[in-house]
Every structure is written in C-alpha cells, then in structure tokens.
C-alpha cells in the first residue's frame, strides 16, 4: 500500500499512507494477521506553560512563569521610580544579566559584601524580579527594575528576626516601594512585625514566602498581616506539593476569628524556575537529535557527546550494544546514577534519560556520583522522536543560569509583577496594588479563596486592566471579593461536646441561599443573613464555608474557614 513505517511495536505498527484514508485501508482487514486499523491521533505536551527552548548563555530565554502571569503582556515603565528591596543572600556582580547602574545594596554584619554571592539563592531571586531584557540569559517580571540588595545570610547561614527588622528600615531609607523576602521561620516577633507594618503603612508593599514544608504551619514574616504571603504553583497551574497552606482562622471555640492576611493570598510559578546564578555556578544543557533541537536539563558531568543513538531500555544492566554510542534510557526500575553508570560501563559516551510522565525530567545523579559521561534529562513528550532518531548530540557546560524550586521562587515573581503593574499606576499605594493582584488572580483549587492558592495565580495584565478601569480603589473596598458581592464571616464553638458554626453574611440578593461546607452543598435556607451549622462528627477538623445565591454558580461569597 506504500505505507511509511513510523513505529514497529510489540503487536502493533504505525504507518503513514500518503493519499490514503481509513476507508481505503479497510481492505487490509481481510488479512488474518490484522485485527484493527484506526487513526493514529496526535498527542501534545500537557504543560500549560513552558520555558522557551534554548541555551540562556547564547540567547534570551523567557521562563514559563512570565507567560503564566501575563508579565509579557505589560510594559514596565522605567520612569515610574519603582524600586524593589531584596532581603536575601546577596546578588553576585559577575552575572551580566542586570542593569548594575540601577542596583544598590547594604551588608548585614558578618555577611560580607552585598554584591558577592552567599550562595546562588539571592542571585536567582533577583533575576526573577528584574533580569534585564537584553537578548541574553533570562528576562525578569519587571525587566531592569531598580533594586536594593540587603545581604542577611550566606549559603550555610541564617539570620534573626532583628536582622529583618533592621533590613526593613534600610529598605525604607533606600527609597524602596516593595520588600521581597524568600525566607522565613517559626514564631512571631513584635519588633519584626512592627518594622514591616511601618513600611506598609507608609505606602509600601511587603511580600514573603509561605514556606516549603507542605503543611499548614504559619511561617514568619509571611504570616504578619502587613505582609503578603505567597504560595507556589507549577507550570500546569497546579499547587506545588511543598507549598505551605496555613489556615486563615485563629483561636478556638467562640473566639475563632478569620483573617485573610495571615494565610496564602496568591500564588505564582515556583517549580523548576529558571533564573540567574553566580557566574559558572550552574550547568546548562543542549540536545539535538538528527540536527533537530530538543529541550533538555543538565543532570551531571560537563562535556560533549555526539554519536549514534542507542536505546538501552531502563539501563538496569550492562549492554555492550551501547559502546561508542549515546544511550537513550527510560526512567524507572533503577536509580538515575545506576542508569548512567551502566551506560558508561557499557562503553556509552553520553546518556539521555527520558521522563516516564508528562514534562521535563529534572534530576541529579546524587552526591556520590563518580561517572564522567555527560547526562541530561529529556521530556516524555519527545520520547518517540528521540527513539526514532539516528544520531544524538548532547552538550553540558557551566552556566550563569539554573533552576530552583520553592515558594522562594514564587515570591520574587509576585514582587516583580507588583513592580510591573505598579509602574503603570504609580499613584496607588502598595496595599491597593496588593488588593488588585488578589482581585484579578486566576481562581484555582476550590471555588473562591482557598488555603492553598489564596485568591489564585497572579495575572499582571488583568491587574493592570483592573486598575485602569476602576482606579486605585478598585471595587471600592480594601479587601476585594473573589467571586461576587456576598461577604461571609464564620465563628465556631462547642456546646456539650457538639460543634457549631455560626455563619453571618451580607450582600445576597435572592430570597434563599445555598450553603456549602468543604465544597459540598449542605442545605438551602432563607436569606436571613445568618445560619448555624451543627456538625455531628467527633474530634477536631477544619471546615470551609461558602454562601451562594440560590440557583447561581457565579454570585458566591468568599470562603471562610473554622478549625476545631
């Protein structure tokens, strides 16, 4: 029939028939060896957002979070006088991707020069905020924004709440509009809290990371009311498994109160985030198959390899067929180190480990790695093309750009987005920018505000349009409503061993309202602006409530949470 074989599989084959369709091929079913003929449907990567493909040492690469947050749709106004104060581990002056004339700094006692890196963390954070739009490296959320760097810790060090209180004062003295802190710890401190409250009350905005322990514990300074707490999501708009999710409720019994400023308010991209590093401290990978470039991630061992491709399965044993070739290896069965070691011991000169789930494989070979051949990770979506290739070339070299994950990466994204939006609405206060970001965030997770995403994923262009249409005051209140004009508050208490929750609301226009507990409707009741829910289950628990106008999916209250 003139078909071109594409895949010769175990019990099936795929072929391209030029000028033929399924109907014309049905005659093949008369062959007793053929049981089924069907269309070979296209499949595409499921990632909603991706980094640009390319080597940031050779061209400018836009990180996925820039697209996800719409930062590429808003132009930064460099004449607005925005300045972000970054309290972290310093910014290494060897990285070329900054406008150094716009950057100043202070040293904290014992940490050394602010322009010398105390590890890559601070340089990575600063790049996400303001890496220049200069055809090199990466681009920040607010490209070229002025920054003031305060170095409060080194790579192996830490600081105190008093260090942060002093840093807040130095940020004020430097004329900063925004404070960005990708750090935190346990326990509230009044001196520290007052310092950030003073900065906010003076018109500034303070942004801090929720924490990376994947639990509901509050981390400070993010949990102070004057500080905007930031969670992390991934490129698929899903919450990061490490992102902390503290409740907005405090107290017990009749003394339970809800405060949406002590929990996650918004999220931004913070998983496998590409940004600036101190010069040469990171690794970058290039990969091509039959001269077609493919995205890859550096795993270990700098160097270059170009040779015939050899599929080694999961590489759980020595295979002499790999000698002199680049091993293509499926993820699974044995460790990444064992796969690369088996390739090398088979005579392989390079290794490509392909993910076994959607997306890029980001990994290392571990602290005890003693292999020498270059090894890279590849995306599952490219598996078929790689396995069908004849030659593969990989190249790993030292780089000024690398990947990190954490709410530490999401926090500078929000700080940079705030500077970007604020630069076009400089008449607003930091609190008004904070409210605009929440009012226009893309709702994710449970309907309305929830403990994981807060109001949702930040969207720069939507916030900019919101302020243009409504002015700095936005919808007219300091706290924007996420889903409608209905406002709900809750109070929980126990009586004779039974749990009760009093719900009070305003703003519902229908004669009846629907009441939801933990996302499920529990009753419809007359719109009397109050209702008491009796919870029969024993023990503790957390309960999130929402009120919606009857028979309406769009006019609903904020979420309000009670814990026993």
């Amino acid at each position: 029939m003139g078909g071109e074989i594409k895949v010769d599989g175990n019990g099936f084959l795929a072929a391209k028939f030029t000028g033929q369709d399924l109907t014309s091929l049905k005659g093949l079913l008369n062959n007793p060896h053929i049981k089924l003929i069907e269309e070979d449907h296209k499949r595409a990567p499921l990632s909603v957002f991706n980094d640009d493909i390319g080597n940031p040492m050779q061209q400018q690469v836009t990180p996925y979070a820039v697209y996800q947050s719409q930062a590429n749709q808003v132009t930064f106004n460099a004449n607005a006088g925005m300045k972000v104060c970054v309290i972290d581990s310093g910014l290494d002056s060897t990285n070329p991707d900054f406008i150094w004339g716009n950057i100043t700094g202070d040293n904290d006692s014992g940490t050394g020069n602010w322009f010398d890196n105390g590890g890559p963390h601070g340089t990575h954070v600063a790049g996400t905020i303001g890496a220049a739009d200069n055809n090199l490296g990466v681009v920040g959320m607010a490209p070229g924004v002025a920054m003031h760097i305060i170095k409060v810790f080194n790579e192996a060090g830490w600081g105190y709440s008093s260090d942060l209180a002093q840093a807040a004062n130095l940020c004020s003295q430097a004329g900063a509009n925004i404070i960005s802190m990708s750090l935190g710890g346990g326990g509230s401190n009044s001196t520290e809290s007052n310092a950030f409250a003073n900065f906010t009350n003076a018109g500034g905005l303070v942004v801090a990371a929720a924490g990376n322990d994947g639990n509901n514990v509050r981390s400070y300074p993010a949990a102070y009311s004057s500080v905007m707490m930031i969670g992390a999501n991934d490129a698929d708009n899903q919450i990061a498994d490490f992102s902390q999710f503290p409740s907005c409720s405090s107290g017990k019994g009749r003394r339970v109160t809800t405060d949406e400023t002590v929990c996650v308010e918004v999220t931004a991209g913070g998983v496998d985030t590409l940004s600036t590093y101190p010069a040469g401290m990171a690794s970058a990978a290039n990969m091509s198959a039959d001269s077609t470039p493919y995205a890859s991630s550096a795993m270990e061992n700098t160097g270059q390899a170009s040779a015939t491709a050899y599929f080694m399965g999961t590489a759980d044993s020595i295979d002499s067929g790999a000698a002199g070739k680049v091993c293509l290896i499926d993820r699974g069965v044995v460790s990444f180190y064992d796969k690369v070691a088996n390739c090398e011991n088979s005579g392989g000169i390079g290794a490509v480990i392909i993910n076994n789930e959607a997306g890029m494989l980001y990994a290392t070979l571990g602290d005890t790695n003693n292999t020498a051949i270059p090894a890279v990770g590849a995306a599952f979506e490219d598996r078929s093309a790689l396995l069908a290739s004849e030659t593969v070339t990989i190249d790993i070299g030292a780089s000024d750009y690398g990947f990190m994950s954490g709410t530490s990466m999401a926090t500078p994204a929000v700080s940079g987005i705030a500077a970007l939006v604020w630069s076009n609405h400089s008449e607003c206060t930091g609190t008004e920018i904070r409210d605009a970001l929440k009012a226009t965030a893309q709702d994710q997770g449970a309907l309305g505000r929830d403990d994981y995403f807060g109001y949702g994923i930040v969207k720069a262009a939507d916030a900019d349009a919101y302020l243009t249409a409504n002015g700095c005051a936005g919808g007219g209140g300091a706290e924007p409503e996420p889903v409608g004009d209905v406002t709900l508050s809750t109070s929980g208490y126990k009586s004779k061993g039974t749990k009760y929750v009093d719900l009070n609301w305003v703003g519902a226009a229908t004669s009846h309202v629907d009441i939801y507990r933990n996302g499920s409707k529990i009753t419809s009741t007359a719109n009397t602006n109050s209702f008491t829910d009796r919870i029969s289950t024993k023990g503790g628990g957390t309960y999130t409530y929402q009120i919606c106008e009857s028979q309406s999916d769009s006019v609903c209250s904020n979420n309000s949470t009670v814990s026993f």
Side-chain angles (χ1 to χ4, degrees):
M1 301 290 291
E4 179 187 354
I5 300 296
K6 296 293 185 181
V7 178
D8 188 358
N10 182 15
F12 72 94
L13 60 86
K16 179 180 179 181
F17 294 88
T18 303
Q20 304 277 1
D21 58 23
L22 284 177
T23 301
S24 65
L25 296 174
K26 291 299 183 182
L28 291 175
L29 290 175
N30 294 324
N31 187 318
H33 300 290
I34 297 176
K35 296 181 179 180
L36 173 70
I37 301 174
E38 61 185 347
E39 181 180 354
D40 197 7
H41 293 283
K42 290 183 177 180
R43 297 291 182 257
L46 296 179
S47 294
V48 181
F49 301 95
N50 295 283
D51 296 342
D52 291 345
I53 293 178
N55 185 345
M57 294 293 285
Q58 300 171 0
Q59 65 191 78
Q60 183 164 284
V61 174
T62 301
Y64 78 84
V66 172
Y67 297 120
Q68 186 179 55
S69 67
Q70 304 175 334
N72 60 311
Q73 300 176 32
V74 181
T75 300
F76 177 65
N77 179 9
N79 297 320
M82 286 293 112
K83 182 180 287 188
V84 182
C85 191
V86 184
I87 303 175
D88 210 284
S89 64
L91 171 57
D92 196 283
S93 60
T94 60
N95 191 290
D97 210 3
F98 295 94
I99 301 176
W100 285 97
N102 290 348
I103 302 175
T104 55
D106 282 304
N107 305 323
D108 189 46
S109 59
T111 62
N113 296 323
W114 65 265
F115 47 83
D116 293 329
N117 79 82
H121 192 272
T123 302
H124 195 277
V125 163
T128 296
I129 295 171
D133 186 1
N134 58 359
N135 299 316
L136 176 71
V138 296
V139 60
M141 297 293 181
V145 66
M147 288 186 281
H148 188 76
I149 310 299
I150 300 182
K151 186 176 181 180
V152 295
F153 53 81
N154 291 314
E155 186 171 18
W158 39 269
Y160 288 98
S161 54
S162 57
D163 295 323
L164 299 189
Q166 172 65 0
N169 295 332
L170 293 173
C171 291
S172 295
Q173 294 172 20
N177 308 89
I178 299 168
I179 292 176
S180 185
M181 294 179 289
S182 295
L183 48 81
S188 174
N189 176 278
S190 60
T191 302
E192 179 184 53
S193 176
N194 289 338
F196 294 121
N198 290 339
F199 188 89
T200 298
N201 292 336
L205 172 63
V206 185
V207 183
N212 300 327
D213 289 336
N215 57 33
N216 62 356
V217 175
R218 287 185 187 141
S219 177
Y220 294 87
Y224 297 129
S225 291
S226 62
V227 179
M228 189 176 191
M229 184 188 294
I230 308 302
N233 58 259
D234 65 16
D236 293 322
N237 291 345
Q238 301 301 309
I239 199 68
D241 57 7
F242 54 75
S243 187
Q244 285 174 224
F245 49 95
S247 171
C248 299
S249 299
S250 302
K252 295 182 179 180
R254 293 182 179 271
R255 296 183 178 180
V256 171
T257 59
T258 300
D259 181 356
E260 295 177 355
T261 64
V262 299
C263 44
V264 173
E265 297 187 38
V266 294
T267 67
V271 178
D272 297 325
T273 300
L274 178 66
S275 188
T276 48
Y277 256 63
M281 194 175 285
S283 296
N286 289 314
M287 177 177 66
S288 64
D290 293 341
S291 300
T292 299
Y294 291 92
S296 62
S297 69
M299 296 181 72
E300 300 284 355
N301 307 330
T302 59
Q304 194 266 351
S306 182
T308 301
Y310 181 76
F311 180 51
M312 202 173 170
T314 54
D316 49 341
S317 61
I318 301 296
D319 183 347
S320 60
K325 300 173 183 177
V326 173
C327 305
L328 301 178
I329 303 171
D330 278 333
R331 181 180 183 179
V333 183
V334 297
S335 71
F336 299 133
Y337 167 78
D338 287 338
K339 292 175 184 294
V340 176
N342 285 336
C343 171
E344 184 175 41
N345 292 333
S346 300
I349 64 171
V352 179
I353 302 180
I354 306 169
N355 208 352
N356 58 2
E357 58 185 16
M360 176 61 63
L361 174 62
Y362 296 98
T364 68
L365 303 186
D367 294 337
T368 59
N369 171 49
N370 60 1
T371 63
I373 62 174
V376 301
F380 174 76
E381 293 80 6
D382 294 329
R383 182 178 185 273
S384 295
L386 291 173
L387 296 189
S389 63
E390 294 184 3
T391 62
V392 172
T393 299
I394 58 177
D395 185 6
I396 301 178
S399 178
D400 303 346
Y401 304 89
F403 294 90
M404 285 188 178
S405 294
T407 54
S408 282
M409 285 61 251
T411 296
V414 175
S415 300
I417 291 163
L420 173 65
V421 173
W422 203 351
S423 75
N424 291 282
H425 303 276
S426 56
E427 70 279 10
C428 299
T429 66
T431 298
E432 289 167 337
I433 298 299
R434 178 180 182 176
D435 289 344
L437 294 179
K438 292 191 289 184
T440 57
Q442 177 183 323
D443 189 22
Q444 290 292 122
L447 182 66
R449 200 216 67 80
D450 66 78
D451 289 343
Y452 292 87
F453 284 93
Y455 285 94
I457 301 173
V458 287
K459 297 291 178 179
D462 291 344
D464 178 59
Y466 175 86
L467 290 168
T468 298
N470 300 294
C472 294
E479 284 296 327
E481 294 302 328
V483 191
D485 297 320
V486 185
T487 303
L488 171 68
S489 62
T490 55
S491 177
Y493 57 95
K494 290 184 178 180
S495 177
K496 297 181 179 180
T498 301
K499 299 189 289 289
Y500 295 89
V501 178
D502 289 338
L503 290 79
N504 294 279
W505 66 88
V506 295
T510 52
S511 60
H512 286 72
V513 295
D514 299 329
I515 298 178
Y516 292 82
R517 183 207 304 144
N518 291 343
S520 299
K521 180 179 174 180
I522 59 173
T523 189
S524 292
T525 186
N527 183 13
T528 60
N529 296 322
S530 65
F531 176 81
T532 297
D533 182 33
R534 181 179 181 273
I535 302 174
S536 58
T537 57
K538 296 182 179 180
T542 298
Y543 304 91
T544 300
Y545 291 87
Q546 188 175 45
I547 302 297
C548 295
E549 294 183 351
S550 288
Q551 300 180 341
S552 173
D553 293 328
S554 59
V555 183
C556 297
S557 72
N558 55 291
N559 285 326
S560 185
T561 301
V562 173
S563 297
F564 289 93

